[in-house]
Amino acid sequence: IVHIAAINKDRTIDDYQRIYNKIAEKIREDDEYDGYIGYGPVLVRLGWHSSGTYNKENNSGGSYGGTYRFKLENSDPSNNGLQNAAQFLDPIYKEFNWISHGDLYTLGAVCAIQEAQGPKIKWRPGRVDLPESATPENGRLPDAVNGADYVRKFYARLRMNDREAVALTGAHCLGRTHLKNSGFDGPWGAASSSFTNEFFINLLNEQWKLQKNAAGNKQYDSPKGYMMLETDYALIQDPIYLKIVKEYANNEASFFKDFASSFQKLLENGIDYPKGAPEYIFKTLDDQDM
Ligand code: HEM
Ligand SMILES: O=C1CCNc2c1cnc1ccccc21
């Protein structure tokens, strides 16, 4: 399967910065969501899940077709809770319905990371809405109750190496798990809305105890009320991953650099960009004194 980015000559960076600003202002405005965590984390998860269906074996899935908008994909149990992000983006799509859904979902994630004081993420438009028949089947997104071998194999399907896998999982500095969505619970204390390397610091500094949560699922809990999924904890069980976790815990700049490149790669998996395709770096509201 080949998906070629459609270059729309009528649209410039100003058009996309206007959408970016609308999303950023709405994130600021709707600050009460999820106990005042805000919409940032769930917008990041929507961008990641709409891209995480990619399979390098046949170049299927991925963000290009915006197929999350179809029932088969948005009712995938792995996507429980992302309806909140889709509803957040609805009014933005109505006002700027010249943008494709794939571009909107990924732009929303880039905006959320940058507005959370994370790294600047390069973003390229050109995804084209595909019909419902192009929706990938359920089951392509990762399960949390697994170890390092599963994590390595899963990320390899997305063309990600060990460093990219650890960097991407660092997005778990944002938001939290919700029993009603995924059957995992917490953390309450550490559920942050700022993008930092604290996920790696938590992994190394807390005492973790594997226990069953209220839904009967295993997760790691710490005395401070923090939590880790088994796939999070795998990053300090595997010696190769552990070395990278230590690097990112001690060097936030290195984490930011690797996250920025890995996240762009994740969001662009499966898309062929023609030579000279425009690539944008959006200004934050702070950069624009807004
Ligand atoms: C093995 C890989 C991964 C697994 C098993 C996993 C699993 C999960 C689970 C179970 C939740 C809780 C969802 C809920 O209950 O609302 C979650 C939340 C989240 N995930 Fe991941 N994840 C993985 C990788 C990633 C990646 C690569 C990113 C982004 C780059 C990401 C970003 C997020 C964010 C931002 C949240 C918080 C959402 C919110 O607060 O509503 N995750 N993840
Ligand atoms: O250590 C943290 C910080 C707050 N958020 C999360 C952590 C660890 N694992 C997570 C897994 C999924 C979603 C959020 C988190």
Side-chain angles (χ1 to χ4, degrees):
I1 303 174
V2 177
H3 293 142
I4 298 171
I7 308 306
N8 183 341
K9 293 234 180 313
D10 309 347
R11 297 296 174 185
T12 68
I13 183 159
D14 297 343
D15 291 293
Y16 292 105
Q17 182 74 58
R18 232 190 323 282
I19 298 181
Y20 174 104
N21 288 354
K22 260 296 195 263
I23 294 169
E25 285 162 348
K26 191 170 168 54
I27 290 173
R28 270 192 189 165
E29 179 62 28
D30 299 2
D31 63 343
E32 78 302 324
Y33 173 72
D34 199 16
Y36 287 89
I37 294 173
Y39 277 94
V42 74
L43 285 167
V44 171
R45 191 166 199 238
L46 175 58
W48 135 238
H49 272 204
S50 57
S51 309
T53 57
Y54 177 71
N55 182 349
K56 72 175 182 185
E57 299 314 319
N58 54 5
N59 207 49
S60 67
S63 68
Y64 184 84
T67 52
Y68 170 86
R69 70 189 191 281
F70 295 119
K71 184 126 183 58
L72 172 65
E73 189 167 330
N74 61 49
S75 63
D76 181 340
S78 300
N79 285 332
N80 279 356
L82 294 183
Q83 294 84 352
N84 296 303
Q87 277 153 25
F88 173 100
L89 291 172
D90 269 348
I92 309 245
Y93 180 73
K94 292 216 175 10
E95 186 177 349
F96 300 93
N97 63 5
W98 51 266
I99 193 169
S100 66
H101 285 84
D103 279 354
L104 182 61
Y105 298 147
T106 53
L107 177 52
V110 165
C111 175
I113 287 164
Q114 295 194 176
E115 293 301 305
Q117 297 88 45
K120 291 285 174 76
I121 316 274
K122 289 180 192 149
W123 182 83
R124 295 190 284 182
R127 295 169 187 79
V128 177
D129 283 0
L130 292 177
E132 190 150 17
S133 55
T135 308
E137 75 288 351
N138 288 4
R140 291 170 174 237
L141 294 165
D143 290 322
V145 285
N146 287 290
D149 296 343
Y150 171 89
V151 170
R152 186 165 277 116
K153 197 159 165 284
F154 172 78
Y155 277 111
R157 200 198 75 206
L158 302 180
R159 301 190 309 114
M160 300 296 172
N161 62 30
D162 286 350
R163 284 183 73 81
E164 290 165 323
V166 176
L168 285 171
T169 312
H172 279 173
C173 60
L174 294 174
R176 52 173 286 230
T177 59
H178 309 79
L179 267 181
K180 62 184 183 314
N181 292 346
S182 61
F184 297 99
D185 208 6
W188 308 270
S192 156
S193 42
S194 299
F195 195 90
T196 66
N197 65 347
E198 73 171 274
F199 168 77
F200 303 109
I201 294 169
N202 291 346
L203 264 177
L204 297 172
N205 290 5
E206 294 291 306
Q207 283 81 27
W208 298 109
K209 220 171 105 202
L210 183 61
Q211 42 196 33
K212 276 195 176 182
N213 65 25
N217 298 316
K218 285 189 190 163
Q219 63 181 58
Y220 287 86
D221 295 325
S222 87
K224 273 193 206 156
Y226 293 3
M227 67 80 70
M228 289 284 169
L229 300 165
E230 287 192 76
T231 44
D232 294 328
Y233 191 77
L235 302 184
I236 54 174
Q237 290 174 307
D238 177 280
I240 305 167
Y241 283 152
L242 174 60
K243 206 159 162 287
I244 305 165
V245 168
K246 285 178 178 170
E247 178 189 333
Y248 291 156
N250 293 300
N251 185 340
E252 190 171 72
S254 172
F255 165 50
F256 271 32
K257 179 174 177 294
D258 291 353
F259 182 84
S261 51
S262 313
F263 198 61
Q264 177 179 10
K265 181 175 170 180
L266 177 74
L267 270 40
E268 296 184 351
N269 260 336
I271 304 171
D272 291 339
Y273 286 88
K275 234 174 74 52
E279 178 172 83
Y280 302 132
I281 297 182
F282 296 110
K283 291 182 170 45
T284 61
L285 293 184
D286 289 351
D287 291 339
Q288 303 166 80
D289 298 320
M290 288 170 73

